[in-house]
Amino acid sequence: MLQRLSVGLLLTISAVCTASQANATYPERPIVLISPYQAGGTTETFARLITDDVAQILGQPIVIEPKPGAAGTIGARTVATSKPDGYTLLANTSQQVMYDGMYNHLPFNAVDDFRPIGVLGSAPIIVVTGKDSPFKTFKDVLETGKNKNVTFASGAQGSLPHLTGERVALQEKLNMTHVPFSGTAPALTNVIGGHVDLLYSTAASVMPQIRAGTLRALAVSTKERMAELPDVPTIAENGLKEFDVTAWYGVWAPKNTPSEIIEEINAAMRKASSTEAAHKRMKALSVSPSDMTAKEFEVFAENERRTWLDVMKKANMQPVN
């Protein structure tokens, strides 16, 4: 009996030591960061703000791999079914925690099949229109929406920019129709071309076009005006009291990824986000850095999930499939 116990104890110690050694040497090869939208979209933009610095801290390259389709669920499924070893991660918008309100049947559990790692950054949402649009102010949009339909685009069904538009329509009882795109890039093209009236998007994706004059900024979603756009009023200033929304982008790992790996990536993200070089890149795109721990991000994401699933319900957004 004693011999069997000794052998069992040795095997257990050996397994623990092997796991510890594996975690201690992480990462030993390049890390793949799945962006579940079209190349060049907002999610990729946010990821690229710090991934090179994170890679340098971790000592291995991070390869951003676009895998678009089905409002980001194809890329999310790829990560959910990947080996939980820290080498396949997901960069996604806040809609990662809102999929339950979008679909009746998902090929994964949006909460239980993932582990939150950290936040890439956050930014105001800007309401923009094409330079030749008849809408000169956000009040023009509100007045028009009371009597006729106004179309608005976003980079994905169920994304925070989309839900911000739905919340405006709900609060003001407007006639507005959402036109979803697979990524911000095609949405931009359609709004600039006049095929869709408005675009709700993070500042990072539209500031270059605003500066170039191809887009007109009508309002920002945060409670305070943006320093970069001091003449553009907030949505709250247009009569929607206490309106305050900030878009955020995060990174997740498959469930069962060891906590040591989660913490190591999170620490690298926070360190990368704190550098002067990163702050300079972020400021150019009106992005704010994050210093949330993995646990803080988990709590924050759950609060966001509850808030926006309630908006979906009130907007009568019916889950599909």
Side-chain angles (χ1 to χ4, degrees), residues 11-295:
L11 287 173
T12 301
I13 293 172
S14 176
V16 170
C17 289
T18 300
S20 298
Q21 289 170 355
N23 290 339
T25 56
Y26 174 86
E28 295 181 301
R29 53 187 168 86
I31 299 165
V32 175
L33 182 63
I34 300 292
S35 173
Y37 307 103
Q38 296 285 353
T42 308
T43 303
E44 183 178 335
T45 298
F46 267 75
R48 291 195 183 281
L49 287 170
I50 62 170
T51 46
D52 285 348
D53 294 334
V54 173
Q56 187 172 11
I57 294 167
L58 293 176
Q60 288 290 342
I62 297 177
V63 180
I64 298 176
E65 182 180 321
K67 196 172 284 291
T73 60
I74 291 176
R77 181 187 181 187
T78 298
V79 176
T81 57
S82 294
K83 188 176 179 180
D85 56 7
Y87 289 103
T88 305
L89 308 176
L90 175 69
N92 205 354
T93 70
S94 53
Q95 77 174 35
Q96 172 66 23
V97 297
M98 303 170 198
Y99 282 136
D100 289 346
M102 298 168 58
Y103 297 102
N104 286 314
H105 305 288
L106 284 165
F108 54 80
N109 185 300
V111 176
D112 295 341
D113 285 344
F114 299 87
R115 292 200 65 182
I117 297 178
V119 176
L120 291 164
S122 60
I125 293 169
I126 306 180
V127 189
V128 297
T129 191
K131 65 181 179 63
D132 298 321
S133 167
F135 298 118
K136 306 302 181 186
T137 67
F138 195 63
K139 284 201 178 293
D140 291 342
V141 174
L142 299 180
E143 288 300 319
T144 301
K146 292 175 183 177
N147 302 304
K148 57 186 289 190
N149 188 58
V150 176
T151 58
F152 71 97
S154 75
Q157 178 80 10
S159 63
L160 202 54
H162 167 206
L163 297 180
T164 301
E166 295 287 359
R167 184 170 164 184
V168 168
L170 274 172
Q171 284 191 223
E172 295 299 292
K173 298 180 175 57
L174 306 177
N175 301 303
M176 301 191 82
T177 301
H178 178 238
V179 183
F181 289 89
S182 184
T184 306
L188 271 169
T189 300
N190 278 269
V191 172
I192 290 172
H195 308 296
V196 183
D197 294 323
L198 308 172
L199 171 66
Y200 282 78
S201 176
T202 56
S205 290
V206 295
M207 284 301 292
Q209 292 82 1
I210 292 171
R211 292 188 179 111
T214 55
L215 286 177
R216 180 185 303 123
L218 302 177
V220 297
S221 65
T222 45
K223 62 181 178 182
E224 303 289 343
R225 292 192 183 195
M226 291 174 56
E228 299 86 346
L229 298 171
D231 296 328
V232 178
T234 65
I235 291 176
E237 287 179 78
N238 281 273
L240 285 78
K241 293 182 178 180
E242 298 182 4
F243 199 100
D244 182 19
V245 176
T246 302
W248 56 271
Y249 294 74
V251 176
W252 289 261
K255 68 176 182 180
N256 298 326
T257 300
S259 294
E260 293 87 349
I261 291 177
I262 297 293
E263 295 302 329
E264 185 167 355
I265 301 170
N266 174 271
M269 289 177 63
R270 288 188 289 126
K271 184 176 180 180
S273 298
S274 69
T275 66
E276 186 177 340
H279 286 182
K280 186 176 180 180
R281 289 193 296 271
M282 290 183 178
K283 186 176 181 180
L285 295 174
S286 303
V287 174
S288 297
S290 170
D291 63 354
M292 285 190 201
T293 65
K295 184 61 181 177

